[in-house]
Protein backbone atom coordinates (compact mmCIF):
# COMPACT_ATOMS: atom_id res chain seq x y z
CA UNK A 1 0.00 0.00 0.00
CA UNK A 2 1.36 3.46 -0.85
CA UNK A 3 -1.08 5.81 0.87
CA UNK A 4 1.86 7.94 2.07
CA UNK A 5 3.31 8.44 -1.41
CA UNK A 6 4.48 12.04 -1.76
CA UNK A 7 4.10 12.79 1.97
CA UNK A 8 6.83 13.72 4.44
CA UNK A 9 6.85 12.48 8.02
CA UNK A 10 8.86 13.28 11.15
CA UNK A 11 8.97 10.66 13.93
CA UNK A 12 10.41 11.58 17.33
CA UNK A 13 12.05 8.77 19.27
CA UNK A 14 12.27 7.06 15.90
CA UNK A 15 15.57 5.27 16.55
CA UNK A 16 14.13 2.48 18.70
CA UNK A 17 11.02 0.43 19.50
CA UNK A 18 7.64 1.86 18.47
CA UNK A 19 9.16 4.92 16.79
CA UNK A 20 11.57 2.85 14.75
CA UNK A 21 8.81 0.47 13.60
CA UNK A 22 6.64 3.48 12.70
CA UNK A 23 9.37 5.24 10.72
CA UNK A 24 10.08 2.04 8.77
CA UNK A 25 6.38 1.38 8.08
CA UNK A 26 5.69 4.94 6.89
CA UNK A 27 8.72 4.70 4.58
CA UNK A 28 7.54 1.32 3.27
CA UNK A 29 4.17 2.92 2.50
CA UNK A 30 5.75 5.67 0.46
CA UNK A 31 6.61 8.49 2.88
CA UNK A 32 9.90 10.32 3.10
CA UNK A 33 10.76 9.96 6.77
CA UNK A 34 12.90 11.97 9.19
CA UNK A 35 13.80 10.54 12.58
CA UNK A 36 14.42 12.95 15.46
CA UNK A 37 16.10 11.17 18.35
CA UNK A 38 18.63 11.65 21.14
CA UNK A 39 20.79 9.04 19.45
CA UNK A 40 19.81 8.27 15.85
CA UNK A 41 23.22 6.73 15.02
CA UNK A 42 21.60 3.35 14.21
CA UNK A 43 19.09 4.89 11.79
CA UNK A 44 19.82 3.89 8.20
CA UNK A 45 18.29 3.00 4.84
CA UNK A 46 15.68 5.42 3.56
CA UNK A 47 15.31 7.12 6.98
CA UNK A 48 17.04 10.46 7.57
CA UNK A 49 18.43 11.07 11.04
CA UNK A 50 18.23 14.34 13.00
CA UNK A 51 19.88 14.20 16.44
CA UNK A 52 18.07 16.32 19.01
CA UNK A 53 16.90 16.18 22.61
CA UNK A 54 13.19 17.04 22.85
CA UNK A 55 13.91 18.89 26.11
CA UNK A 56 16.03 21.43 24.19
CA UNK A 57 13.78 23.90 22.37
CA UNK A 58 16.60 25.34 20.25
CA UNK A 59 17.75 21.88 19.15
CA UNK A 60 14.17 20.81 18.37
CA UNK A 61 13.52 23.92 16.26
CA UNK A 62 16.77 23.39 14.37
CA UNK A 63 16.09 19.68 13.75
CA UNK A 64 12.49 20.24 12.62
CA UNK A 65 13.55 23.10 10.33
CA UNK A 66 16.34 20.97 8.83
CA UNK A 67 14.02 17.99 8.31
CA UNK A 68 11.35 20.15 6.67
CA UNK A 69 13.94 21.81 4.41
CA UNK A 70 15.56 18.49 3.40
CA UNK A 71 12.26 16.70 2.77
CA UNK A 72 10.50 19.69 1.20
CA UNK A 73 7.85 20.19 3.90
CA UNK A 74 6.11 18.17 6.60
CA UNK A 75 2.73 16.41 6.43
CA UNK A 76 2.89 13.99 9.35
CA UNK A 77 4.30 14.43 12.85
CA UNK A 78 4.54 11.44 15.18
CA UNK A 79 5.24 12.60 18.74
CA UNK A 80 6.59 9.37 20.14
CA UNK A 81 9.75 10.13 22.18
CA UNK A 82 9.14 9.26 25.81
CA UNK A 83 10.69 7.91 28.97
CA UNK A 84 9.32 5.85 31.85
CA UNK A 85 9.19 6.16 35.62
CA UNK A 86 8.19 3.65 38.27
CA UNK A 87 6.82 4.52 41.67
CA UNK A 88 3.95 5.94 43.68
CA UNK A 89 3.17 9.64 43.94
CA UNK A 90 5.56 9.82 46.91
CA UNK A 91 8.55 8.14 45.31
CA UNK A 92 10.00 10.90 43.09
CA UNK A 93 11.39 14.29 44.03
CA UNK A 94 10.49 17.48 42.17
CA UNK A 95 13.49 17.19 39.86
CA UNK A 96 12.41 13.72 38.73
CA UNK A 97 8.85 14.94 38.14
CA UNK A 98 10.12 17.85 36.07
CA UNK A 99 12.50 15.62 34.09
CA UNK A 100 9.81 13.15 32.98
CA UNK A 101 7.21 15.81 32.24
CA UNK A 102 9.87 17.73 30.32
CA UNK A 103 10.34 14.82 27.89
CA UNK A 104 6.88 13.26 27.75
CA UNK A 105 4.73 16.41 27.77
CA UNK A 106 6.85 19.46 26.94
CA UNK A 107 8.83 17.45 24.37
CA UNK A 108 5.60 16.92 22.43
CA UNK A 109 4.76 20.61 22.82
CA UNK A 110 8.15 21.69 21.47
CA UNK A 111 8.12 19.45 18.39
CA UNK A 112 4.50 20.35 17.61
CA UNK A 113 5.19 24.07 18.00
CA UNK A 114 8.12 23.80 15.61
CA UNK A 115 6.24 21.62 13.10
CA UNK A 116 2.92 23.52 12.98
CA UNK A 117 3.94 26.15 10.39
CA UNK A 118 4.96 23.32 8.04
CA UNK A 119 1.87 21.20 8.77
CA UNK A 120 -0.38 24.18 7.99
CA UNK A 121 0.96 24.13 4.43
CA UNK A 122 0.09 20.44 3.94
CA UNK A 123 -3.09 19.17 2.29
CA UNK A 124 -2.95 16.01 4.47
CA UNK A 125 -1.63 17.17 7.82
CA UNK A 126 -1.77 14.74 10.71
CA UNK A 127 -0.25 14.52 14.17
CA UNK A 128 -0.21 11.23 16.08
CA UNK A 129 0.89 11.18 19.70
CA UNK A 130 2.11 8.03 21.43
CA UNK A 131 0.08 8.03 24.63
CA UNK A 132 -0.43 4.92 26.83
CA UNK A 133 -2.98 2.77 28.60
CA UNK A 134 -1.51 4.47 31.68
CA UNK A 135 -3.62 7.50 30.69
CA UNK A 136 -6.89 5.58 30.95
CA UNK A 137 -6.31 2.82 33.53
CA UNK A 138 -4.87 3.04 37.03
CA UNK A 139 -1.69 0.98 36.94
CA UNK A 140 0.28 0.37 40.15
CA UNK A 141 3.56 2.26 40.67
CA UNK A 142 3.20 4.43 37.58
CA UNK A 143 2.07 7.75 39.16
CA UNK A 144 4.49 10.08 37.40
CA UNK A 145 4.41 8.24 34.07
CA UNK A 146 0.58 8.12 34.17
CA UNK A 147 0.39 11.85 34.91
CA UNK A 148 2.56 12.52 31.87
CA UNK A 149 0.45 10.32 29.59
CA UNK A 150 -2.80 11.73 31.01
CA UNK A 151 -1.50 15.11 29.87
CA UNK A 152 -0.74 13.67 26.42
CA UNK A 153 -4.33 12.39 26.14
CA UNK A 154 -5.81 15.77 27.11
CA UNK A 155 -3.38 17.61 24.86
CA UNK A 156 -4.38 15.38 21.96
CA UNK A 157 -8.01 16.44 22.37
CA UNK A 158 -7.18 20.13 22.87
CA UNK A 159 -4.83 20.19 19.89
CA UNK A 160 -7.39 18.39 17.73
CA UNK A 161 -9.93 21.13 18.55
CA UNK A 162 -7.48 23.98 18.02
CA UNK A 163 -6.25 22.81 14.63
CA UNK A 164 -9.20 21.04 12.99
CA UNK A 165 -10.16 24.16 11.03
CA UNK A 166 -6.61 24.46 9.78
CA UNK A 167 -6.94 20.99 8.28
CA UNK A 168 -4.64 19.34 10.82
CA UNK A 169 -5.90 16.12 12.42
CA UNK A 170 -4.61 15.10 15.87
CA UNK A 171 -5.02 11.63 17.36
CA UNK A 172 -3.17 9.33 19.74
CA UNK A 173 -2.51 5.65 20.25
CA UNK A 174 -2.77 4.06 23.69
CA UNK A 175 -0.52 0.99 23.70
CA UNK A 176 -0.58 -1.65 26.43
CA UNK A 177 2.77 -3.27 27.24
CA UNK A 178 4.81 -3.38 24.06
CA UNK A 179 7.78 -5.65 23.43
CA UNK A 180 10.41 -2.93 22.86
CA UNK A 181 13.94 -2.31 24.20
CA UNK A 182 12.26 -0.15 26.89
CA UNK A 183 10.32 -3.10 28.29
CA UNK A 184 13.45 -5.24 27.90
CA UNK A 185 15.26 -2.83 30.25
CA UNK A 186 12.31 -2.96 32.67
CA UNK A 187 12.40 -6.76 32.71
CA UNK A 188 16.18 -6.84 33.15
CA UNK A 189 15.80 -4.64 36.24
CA UNK A 190 13.14 -6.91 37.83
CA UNK A 191 14.20 -9.41 40.54
CA UNK A 192 12.71 -12.26 38.44
CA UNK A 193 12.54 -11.14 34.76
CA UNK A 194 10.71 -14.28 33.58
CA UNK A 195 8.03 -13.93 36.27
CA UNK A 196 7.70 -10.20 35.52
CA UNK A 197 7.28 -10.90 31.81
CA UNK A 198 4.65 -13.58 32.53
CA UNK A 199 2.76 -11.10 34.76
CA UNK A 200 2.80 -8.42 32.05
CA UNK A 201 1.62 -10.93 29.43
CA UNK A 202 -1.17 -12.20 31.69
CA UNK A 203 -2.41 -8.60 32.23
CA UNK A 204 -3.41 -8.40 28.57
CA UNK A 205 -6.45 -10.46 27.52
CA UNK A 206 -4.59 -11.64 24.41
CA UNK A 207 -2.06 -13.25 26.78
CA UNK A 208 0.95 -11.70 25.06
CA UNK A 209 2.75 -8.39 24.75
CA UNK A 210 1.87 -6.02 21.91
CA UNK A 211 4.49 -5.79 19.16
CA UNK A 212 6.06 -2.49 18.07
CA UNK A 213 4.83 -3.26 14.54
CA UNK A 214 1.22 -3.48 15.76
CA UNK A 215 1.47 -0.02 17.35
CA UNK A 216 3.16 1.30 14.20
CA UNK A 217 0.24 0.00 12.11
CA UNK A 218 -2.21 1.89 14.34
CA UNK A 219 -0.14 5.08 14.11
CA UNK A 220 0.01 4.74 10.33
CA UNK A 221 -3.76 4.21 10.23
CA UNK A 222 -4.34 7.47 12.12
CA UNK A 223 -1.73 9.39 10.10
CA UNK A 224 -2.93 8.18 6.71
CA UNK A 225 -4.86 10.46 4.34
CA UNK A 226 -7.34 7.54 4.19
CA UNK A 227 -8.38 8.51 7.76
CA UNK A 228 -9.29 12.09 6.87
CA UNK A 229 -12.45 12.04 9.01
CA UNK A 230 -10.70 10.83 12.17
CA UNK A 231 -9.52 13.44 14.66
CA UNK A 232 -9.53 13.75 18.45
CA UNK A 233 -9.50 10.00 19.04
CA UNK A 234 -7.44 7.69 21.26
CA UNK A 235 -6.94 4.27 19.68
CA UNK A 236 -6.22 1.47 22.17
CA UNK A 237 -3.56 -1.00 21.00
CA UNK A 238 -3.42 -3.02 24.17
CA UNK A 239 -4.52 -6.62 23.56
CA UNK A 240 -7.92 -5.75 25.03
CA UNK A 241 -6.49 -4.54 28.34
CA UNK A 242 -8.55 -1.36 28.62
CA UNK A 243 -11.90 -2.54 27.30
CA UNK A 244 -12.32 -6.20 28.24
CA UNK A 245 -13.12 -7.91 31.54
CA UNK A 246 -12.49 -11.64 31.17
CA UNK A 247 -13.32 -14.34 33.68
CA UNK A 248 -10.25 -16.20 34.97
CA UNK A 249 -9.29 -19.19 32.74
CA UNK A 250 -11.21 -22.36 33.69
CA UNK A 251 -9.05 -24.85 35.63
CA UNK A 252 -7.82 -27.70 33.39
N1 LIG B 1 6.94 -0.05 25.48
C1 LIG B 1 5.75 0.08 26.07
O1 LIG B 1 5.25 -0.84 26.73
C2 LIG B 1 4.94 1.34 25.88
C3 LIG B 1 3.59 1.30 26.26
C4 LIG B 1 2.82 2.46 26.10
C5 LIG B 1 3.39 3.60 25.59
N2 LIG B 1 4.72 3.60 25.26
C6 LIG B 1 5.27 4.85 24.73
O2 LIG B 1 5.84 4.61 23.47
C7 LIG B 1 6.87 5.55 23.22
C8 LIG B 1 8.10 4.82 22.71
O3 LIG B 1 8.44 3.82 23.65
P1 LIG B 1 9.34 2.54 23.27
O4 LIG B 1 8.85 1.42 24.13
O5 LIG B 1 9.43 2.38 21.80
O6 LIG B 1 10.74 3.03 23.91
P2 LIG B 1 12.26 2.91 23.42
O7 LIG B 1 13.04 3.24 24.66
O8 LIG B 1 12.50 1.63 22.73
O9 LIG B 1 12.40 4.11 22.38
C9 LIG B 1 12.27 5.45 22.79
C10 LIG B 1 13.09 6.34 21.86
O10 LIG B 1 12.91 7.70 22.29
C11 LIG B 1 14.17 8.34 22.31
N3 LIG B 1 14.18 9.41 23.31
C12 LIG B 1 14.06 9.28 24.66
N4 LIG B 1 14.19 10.49 25.25
C13 LIG B 1 14.39 11.39 24.24
C14 LIG B 1 14.60 12.78 24.23
N5 LIG B 1 14.69 13.51 25.36
N6 LIG B 1 14.77 13.40 23.03
C15 LIG B 1 14.74 12.67 21.87
N7 LIG B 1 14.55 11.34 21.83
C16 LIG B 1 14.38 10.71 23.01
C17 LIG B 1 15.17 7.24 22.70
O11 LIG B 1 16.49 7.57 22.30
C18 LIG B 1 14.60 6.04 21.94
O12 LIG B 1 15.14 5.94 20.63
C19 LIG B 1 7.06 6.33 24.52
O13 LIG B 1 6.39 7.57 24.43
C20 LIG B 1 6.38 5.46 25.56
O14 LIG B 1 5.88 6.20 26.64
C21 LIG B 1 5.51 2.50 25.38
Amino acid sequence: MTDFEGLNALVTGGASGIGRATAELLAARGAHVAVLDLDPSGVAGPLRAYPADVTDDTAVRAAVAAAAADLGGLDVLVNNAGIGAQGTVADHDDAQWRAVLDVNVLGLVRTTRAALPHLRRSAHAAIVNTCSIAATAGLPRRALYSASKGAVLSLTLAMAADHVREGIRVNCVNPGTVDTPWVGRLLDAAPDPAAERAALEARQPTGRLVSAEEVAAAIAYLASPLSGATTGTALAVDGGMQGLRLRPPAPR
Side-chain angles (χ1 to χ4, degrees), residues 16 18 37 53-54 80 130-131 145 149 176 178 180 182 185:
S16 173
I18 293 168
D37 201 288
D53 184 335
V54 296
N80 168 79
T130 306
C131 190
Y145 181 68
K149 292 300 182 177
V178 189
T180 66
W182 165 324
R185 292 190 295 271

Side-chain angles (χ1 to χ4, degrees), residues 7-216:
L7 299 185
N8 301 320
L10 176 75
V11 181
T12 74
S16 173
I18 293 168
R20 179 63 171 263
T22 301
E24 288 173 352
L25 180 61
L26 295 179
R29 283 166 58 166
H32 297 290
V33 182
V35 164
L36 184 159
D37 201 288
L38 266 183
D39 176 16
S41 54
V43 170
L47 310 178
R48 291 166 182 255
Y50 298 86
D53 184 335
V54 296
T55 66
D56 179 343
D57 192 47
T58 306
V60 167
R61 284 181 188 281
V64 172
D70 293 348
L71 300 179
L74 280 181
D75 306 283
V76 171
L77 170 64
V78 181
N79 283 312
N80 168 79
I83 56 174
Q86 293 187 65
T88 72
V89 72
D91 288 338
H92 305 291
D93 62 22
D94 285 11
Q96 290 168 318
W97 273 86
R98 287 196 186 95
V100 173
L101 296 174
D102 201 14
V103 177
N104 291 5
V105 185
L106 285 160
L108 176 161
V109 172
R110 292 184 187 99
T111 47
T112 304
R113 230 163 28 195
L116 270 174
H118 305 287
L119 295 173
R120 287 192 181 106
R121 289 194 281 273
S122 165
H124 296 290
I127 299 173
V128 184
N129 300 322
T130 306
C131 190
S132 170
I133 190 170
T136 57
L139 305 180
R141 297 186 42 78
R142 293 291 183 277
L144 167 50
Y145 181 68
S146 300
S148 76
K149 292 300 182 177
V152 171
L153 180 60
S154 300
L155 256 173
T156 300
L157 297 173
M159 285 161 49
D162 282 338
H163 303 295
V164 65
R165 290 186 176 144
E166 298 180 322
I168 303 171
R169 299 182 299 106
V170 187
N171 294 285
C172 69
V173 289
N174 286 1
T177 307
V178 189
D179 205 351
T180 66
W182 165 324
V183 168
R185 292 190 295 271
L186 202 102
L187 294 178
D188 289 345
D192 182 346
E196 180 67 13
R197 186 180 182 95
L200 292 175
E201 287 172 346
R203 200 165 64 165
Q204 295 181 164
T206 47
R208 64 169 177 84
L209 301 188
V210 179
S211 73
E213 289 71 24
E214 288 168 325
V215 183

